[in-house]
Amino acid sequence: MNRDGLFTIGEIAKLFSLSTGIIRHYERIGLILPEKTDPETGYRYYSVRQFEPFNTVRYLRTLGMTLDEIGVFLKNRDVSVMREMLLHQREITVKKQAELEKIKANIDRRLADLDDALSGGFNEVTRSVLAPCTMAVLMRPITLHSGLDLEEPIRELEGSVHNTAVFLGKVGVGISAEKLKKGEFGEYDCVFLMLDEGDEFTGSTVSFPSLDCVSIRFSGSHTEAPPYYKKLREFMKQNGLSPAGFSREITLIDYGLTGDTSKFATKISVPVKPETDTI
């Protein structure tokens, strides 16, 4: 066969930085066909006429377009068609960019939780400001003998959540301000789920503004929490503060991340206000 002015599939692969397998796939789906195929050897040959389609496919693939979309254009090449394709792809890209920004923000929050848990400073009461947040709150008396006692209410909350997953740093338990004032720390009054931007929750939610709070971190999980509530209560009493809402007790590290119980970490935060009643 005379192959003057023709290129083998291997030569085309090198020219356009493609694998021969990809080029064969383009042929199978009718995207770019060889100029000639040797009837005896089955070897494929391409001419310069295929250069522009190869360039077009490679460029449009870098823009994220599918081979089906590119195939439609190659069969109906027109400026207006290309413009519509580019507009459509820009819309898709903007949407993906927004989704990636949400994912990045969620990753940053989880990293902040881990950094908080790993930064030391256990058993020390600190004052800070809780960032504004939105929660799904399930009001229910809960006594925890082990982490398994949380599974049922967590699953109940999780059933109303779409497009997200319940994970460490997002779920916690709380004790009402009334019980905190009385020093009653044996039973929780609610379980809550911190909602990230982009989470879809079909149940009722509660949004909180930024709040002054007192916090303490300790090595352990929920069952070891009562002594640390006592420390927080004593700190509030000494500093003229009173609970301004239910506590936010969140385990930052537990079996979900490690089997080493010595590395478990939990944080309790209590919104506070200047004391008006005796604790």
Side-chain angles (χ1 to χ4, degrees):
M1 173 183 167
N2 184 353
R3 54 160 292 194
D4 288 344
L6 298 178
F7 299 82
T8 65
I9 190 171
E11 290 169 336
I12 290 293
K14 289 180 180 179
L15 284 170
F16 293 95
S17 300
L18 298 169
S19 71
T20 57
I22 288 293
I23 296 173
R24 291 189 180 95
H25 178 62
Y26 289 172
E27 180 186 353
R28 283 195 297 271
I29 64 175
L31 195 63
I32 302 176
L33 302 176
E35 181 75 15
K36 291 183 179 180
T37 301
D38 191 314
E40 296 180 4
T41 64
Y43 290 166
R44 297 163 175 81
Y45 295 94
Y46 298 81
S47 74
V48 292
R49 292 197 307 169
Q50 274 88 36
F51 283 19
E52 190 57 38
F54 275 119
N55 278 325
T56 300
V57 172
R58 187 168 63 170
Y59 174 66
L60 295 181
R61 288 294 283 162
T62 66
L63 300 183
M65 294 187 187
T66 67
L67 292 179
D68 286 342
E69 291 171 325
I70 296 170
V72 170
F73 172 73
L74 290 178
K75 292 174 182 177
N76 184 31
R77 287 184 294 172
D78 184 83
V79 174
S80 61
V81 173
M82 174 57 73
R83 188 175 187 279
E84 288 301 316
M85 288 177 63
L86 291 174
L87 286 172
H88 177 65
Q89 193 63 20
R90 184 175 66 177
E91 291 178 4
I92 293 174
T93 302
V94 169
K95 183 177 180 181
K96 286 182 179 178
Q97 189 175 30
E99 292 172 351
L100 288 172
E101 284 297 324
K102 291 178 182 178
I103 292 172
K104 179 182 178 297
N106 292 342
I107 290 172
D108 287 343
R109 279 189 282 272
R110 296 292 79 76
L111 283 172
D113 290 340
L114 286 177
D115 290 343
D116 187 15
L118 297 171
S119 62
F122 285 166
N123 309 330
E124 298 175 4
V125 178
T126 59
R127 293 192 66 174
S128 60
V129 176
L130 289 170
C133 68
T134 299
M135 296 182 186
V137 182
L138 178 64
M139 302 303 299
R140 173 189 295 184
I142 303 171
T143 301
L144 297 182
H145 302 289
S146 74
L148 295 177
D149 296 321
L150 265 179
E151 289 303 312
E152 182 182 348
I154 288 175
R155 297 288 82 76
E156 185 172 339
L157 277 176
E158 191 176 38
S160 298
V161 181
H162 305 280
N163 250 358
T164 190
V166 174
F167 194 64
L168 291 179
K170 297 191 67 170
V171 66
V173 288
I175 298 175
S176 69
E178 292 72 20
K179 285 185 179 178
L180 292 172
K181 290 177 183 179
K182 296 176 183 178
E184 298 175 359
F185 314 128
E187 182 181 68
Y188 295 96
D189 296 291
C190 66
V191 57
F192 59 84
L193 175 64
M194 304 286 290
L195 297 176
D196 290 325
E197 184 180 357
D199 287 351
E200 298 177 11
F201 190 80
T202 58
S204 60
T205 61
V206 182
S207 294
F208 296 92
S210 60
L211 298 169
D212 292 330
C213 76
V214 295
S215 301
I216 191 168
R217 286 175 295 166
F218 62 91
S219 178
S221 190
H222 298 298
T223 54
E224 289 84 51
Y228 301 99
Y229 276 102
K230 292 178 182 178
K231 290 191 71 169
L232 287 171
R233 185 170 184 268
E234 185 62 28
F235 181 91
M236 285 187 281
K237 188 174 183 179
Q238 292 173 356
N239 290 274
L241 300 171
S242 178
F246 64 81
S247 62
R248 302 180 188 180
E249 182 182 326
I250 297 177
T251 297
L252 302 174
I253 299 177
D254 70 0
Y255 284 113
L257 295 181
T258 178
D260 185 351
T261 57
S262 68
K263 294 182 179 179
F264 284 10
T266 299
K267 183 176 184 178
I268 305 171
S269 297
V270 178
V272 293
K273 61 183 179 181
E275 184 177 19
T276 55
D277 301 313
T278 303
I279 299 180

